[in-house]
Amino acid sequence: IKSFPDEQNLKDNETQINVKVLDVRQKILLLGNAPHPDLGALKTTLERNVNFEVRLAFAKNLASVHLEDYNLLVLHNLPSKTYPMSAFLKQANEAELPIWYIVGTQMDINRFNAVQSKLKIKWEQSYDNVFAYGATDDANSLFRLPDDFNRFLEQLPPLKVPFGTYRVLENPMPLFKQKIKGIKTEKPLFLIFNNQQQRKAYLLGEGVWQWRLYDWLNNGSHDNFYQLINNVAQ
């Protein structure tokens, strides 16, 4: 503090304080098979939360990844034919690291079926353009969605989803289902397995970058998209 002109004792006008800053941010690894606009949209959105530290990496650089550094693993189009990921995912499962799978056109569906036990896809070698519908009460039991979220959800552009039969092997929290050519089906589109031992999420289509863009074009913000992605990650 400033001294007075006639002040005699100046020693008590200053002191040194050491502040130890603890980094308590949750660390998220966003791991992609190859560059994709989804990855940029997800990284930008997750980084809005000051409690998240996000690293974007690609499977070709897997040797530089240390799973023990992370609290959440987001896999985009992995495993793929180029990167089967068997040993890596075995390590993640043994560490009970939460995993969020995002299924897309680069993913090896047969390998995907082999490396996880929650969901099996009998793929018919093609893809559907699938709209989302039905944010369920189960979703609101996990986190609060905006009151008008279903209206926003059903206006979103479609995702590209593997065409086939889906077999869910455990009891999930179903967030959204698939609407194909205007018909609401019981096929899952977004599932969360809220197992305390190891949580897993499955978004069964690629193209969520368009959801973020739509939110901005129609609402003037990314808030709806942020709330969905942020809540799922949390």
Side-chain angles (χ1 to χ4, degrees):
I1 59 174
K2 291 182 179 180
S3 61
F4 294 110
D6 57 350
E7 188 173 356
Q8 299 299 314
N9 181 15
L10 302 180
K11 289 184 178 181
D12 60 356
N13 285 15
E14 66 178 54
T15 188
Q16 290 186 350
I17 300 173
N18 295 321
V19 178
K20 184 177 182 181
V21 179
L22 299 177
D23 188 355
V24 295
R25 290 177 297 174
Q26 299 293 298
K27 295 178 173 59
I28 299 173
L29 176 61
L30 183 57
L31 189 62
N33 178 66
H36 192 285
D38 279 357
L39 296 170
L42 291 167
K43 185 174 187 290
T44 299
T45 301
L46 290 167
E47 286 178 333
R48 278 184 58 181
N49 189 328
V50 296
N51 295 314
F52 291 161
E53 178 182 325
V54 185
R55 177 191 174 190
L56 173 60
F58 295 99
K60 66 180 181 180
N61 304 123
L62 210 57
S64 67
V65 172
H66 303 287
L67 282 176
E68 62 272 16
D69 294 338
Y70 299 98
N71 306 104
L72 170 64
L73 174 62
V74 183
L75 295 175
H76 188 275
N77 271 308
L78 289 170
S80 65
K81 291 187 181 299
T82 307
Y83 305 104
M85 309 285 290
S86 299
F88 181 83
L89 287 172
K90 181 181 179 182
Q91 181 185 354
N93 289 326
E94 289 175 350
E96 298 179 355
L97 181 67
I99 301 175
W100 178 358
Y101 290 94
I102 301 176
V103 177
T105 56
Q106 303 165 18
M107 180 176 273
D108 183 338
I109 300 298
N110 291 329
R111 175 61 57 182
F112 168 77
N113 288 334
V115 297
Q116 52 77 43
S117 60
K118 307 289 188 186
L119 174 72
K120 304 297 181 184
I121 304 174
K122 185 179 179 181
W123 185 41
E124 300 296 337
Q125 305 295 317
S126 63
Y127 297 89
D128 273 325
N129 289 319
V130 170
F131 294 86
Y133 84 95
T136 65
D137 292 337
D138 288 325
N140 276 322
S141 71
L142 284 176
F143 45 73
R144 181 67 181 170
L145 291 170
D147 292 336
D148 61 346
F149 191 83
N150 268 325
R151 180 184 62 82
F152 165 74
L153 181 67
E154 296 194 27
Q155 294 174 344
L156 290 172
L159 302 181
K160 191 168 289 293
V161 175
F163 172 69
T165 304
Y166 293 80
R167 186 160 57 100
V168 182
L169 302 180
E170 295 186 23
N171 292 325
M173 296 284 191
L175 297 187
F176 315 142
K177 298 177 183 178
Q178 299 183 24
K179 183 169 68 173
I180 306 171
K181 297 179 180 178
I183 299 174
K184 293 182 176 180
T185 74
E186 292 302 308
K187 290 183 177 182
L189 181 60
F190 206 159
L191 300 170
I192 287 181
F193 294 83
N194 196 28
N195 186 314
Q196 293 299 321
Q197 186 175 6
Q198 185 187 20
R199 295 183 175 94
K200 289 189 177 179
Y202 296 79
L203 176 57
L204 302 172
E206 67 179 25
V208 291
W209 66 271
Q210 298 174 89
W211 288 11
R212 183 174 182 269
L213 182 61
Y214 174 90
D215 198 11
W216 177 262
L217 290 176
N218 289 272
N219 302 311
S221 75
H222 299 124
D223 290 348
N224 286 305
F225 184 73
Y226 168 75
Q227 188 156 358
L228 171 64
I229 299 302
N230 179 69
N231 285 348
V232 172
Q234 285 186 332

